[in-house]
Amino acid sequence: MDNLWIASLPPEDQKRLTPHLNERPIEPGEILYDAGDAVEEVWFPHDGAISLMTILDEDKMVETAAIGREGLVGVTCGPLNARAASRAIAQIQGVASCCPAGVFADALAQSEPMRHALATFTEGLMAQVQQTAACNAQHPLDERLARWLLTISDRVETHRVVLTQSDIAQMLGVRRATVSEVGSELVDRGLIRRGRGWIEIVDRPRLEQSACGCYRMMRGVLADLGVPQVRRR
């Protein structure tokens, strides 16, 4: 199973879900559900990345978490039949398997290992949301940008991602011109390359040194929790 959360489950629990999974492409900019929606499906990414966005005044929004194939999307907003508190939007193109929320709820009710796996993932996600909020409030943009690029690279398991400067500005809640300026500094330092609609990490060790401590802290938290993490290439 390409989704690491499902792959971590005992075989009998995987069998509770797999007959009900419907594989779908996820396209950049696709909204899986919006704030206030009743969440009817649970999404298990195989690749790509999905961002959870907090909606602010005047149609502005900022990313509070990114989820790749290590996790799931759709039950992390509260109880299964609650309305979503955030917007889930596909950030990087990929494929995901979808399961009706009711089926997933029934499977949870029957399986203690599945409930434990969900609680562990949700605890890690909450830590990510809290750390991101603190990072956005306190750290300079060059460190935040480095942290964000490393996190997205981890989710999609590649150093090169298809993203525009406008995409990145939206995720970080800043102006496009500001991202362009700070990105140019990282290019001049030989840490990244970029072109029209793409960006590539070329010196990961130095980019990690340039990122704020939030990146390393979150890697450590997830490892301590035992949350499945993608391989770094």
Side-chain angles (χ1 to χ4, degrees):
M1 192 70 192
D2 289 331
N3 179 269
L4 298 182
W5 190 85
I6 293 181
S8 72
L9 298 175
E12 59 270 25
D13 287 334
Q14 294 184 29
K15 291 177 181 178
R16 300 181 200 276
L17 297 178
T18 50
H20 306 282
L21 297 177
N22 178 27
E23 190 171 300
R24 302 183 195 172
I26 52 174
E27 301 294 336
E30 178 183 355
I31 296 176
L32 309 187
Y33 55 80
D34 213 342
D37 287 350
V39 180
E40 299 177 348
E41 293 181 301
V42 181
W43 299 72
F44 303 92
H46 299 189
D47 53 14
I50 297 168
S51 295
L52 299 185
M53 310 292 297
T54 296
I55 310 300
L56 306 173
D57 293 337
E58 301 175 356
D59 295 325
K60 294 180 180 179
M61 55 184 176
V62 63
E63 183 192 77
T64 52
I67 300 169
R69 74 185 187 98
E70 81 289 348
L72 64 162
V73 177
V75 296
T76 49
C77 54
L80 286 173
N81 58 357
R83 296 193 177 275
S86 60
R87 174 179 295 173
I89 184 170
Q91 191 60 236
I92 307 293
Q93 184 178 30
V95 175
S97 289
C98 302
C99 175
V103 170
F104 187 75
D106 290 343
L108 282 177
Q110 298 174 50
S111 171
E112 175 62 29
M114 191 179 294
R115 292 193 296 273
H116 177 75
L118 179 61
T120 298
F121 173 75
T122 303
E123 186 174 345
L125 184 68
M126 181 61 67
Q128 183 184 170
V129 170
Q130 293 173 328
Q131 196 68 40
T132 298
C135 182
N136 288 341
Q138 295 294 327
H139 292 149
L141 184 57
D142 60 333
E143 295 182 4
R144 290 169 52 201
L145 177 57
R147 183 265 303 167
W148 189 83
L149 291 172
L150 290 164
T151 300
I152 288 296
S153 174
D154 286 347
R155 298 297 181 269
V156 298
E157 301 176 87
T158 178
H159 292 309
R160 182 183 174 116
V161 293
V162 178
L163 285 168
T164 67
Q165 291 183 125
S166 295
D167 293 332
I168 298 171
Q170 185 178 66
M171 295 301 105
L172 296 176
V174 298
R175 295 185 302 114
R176 179 186 178 280
T178 306
V179 168
S180 178
E181 179 181 349
V182 174
S184 294
E185 295 175 4
L186 298 182
V187 170
D188 292 342
R189 291 162 59 188
L191 305 183
I192 65 172
R193 284 198 298 258
R194 63 182 180 178
R196 181 179 289 275
W198 60 269
I199 190 165
E200 181 178 9
I201 298 172
V202 295
D203 192 334
R204 186 180 184 99
R206 289 179 57 219
L207 188 64
E208 289 190 18
Q209 292 174 4
S210 299
C212 57
C214 296
Y215 174 72
R216 293 177 292 279
M217 184 180 298
M218 281 312 308
R219 292 285 302 189
V221 167
L222 296 179
D224 289 343
L225 287 172
V227 174
Q229 296 190 64
V230 297
R231 301 180 308 274
R232 298 197 210 177
R233 294 178 182 173

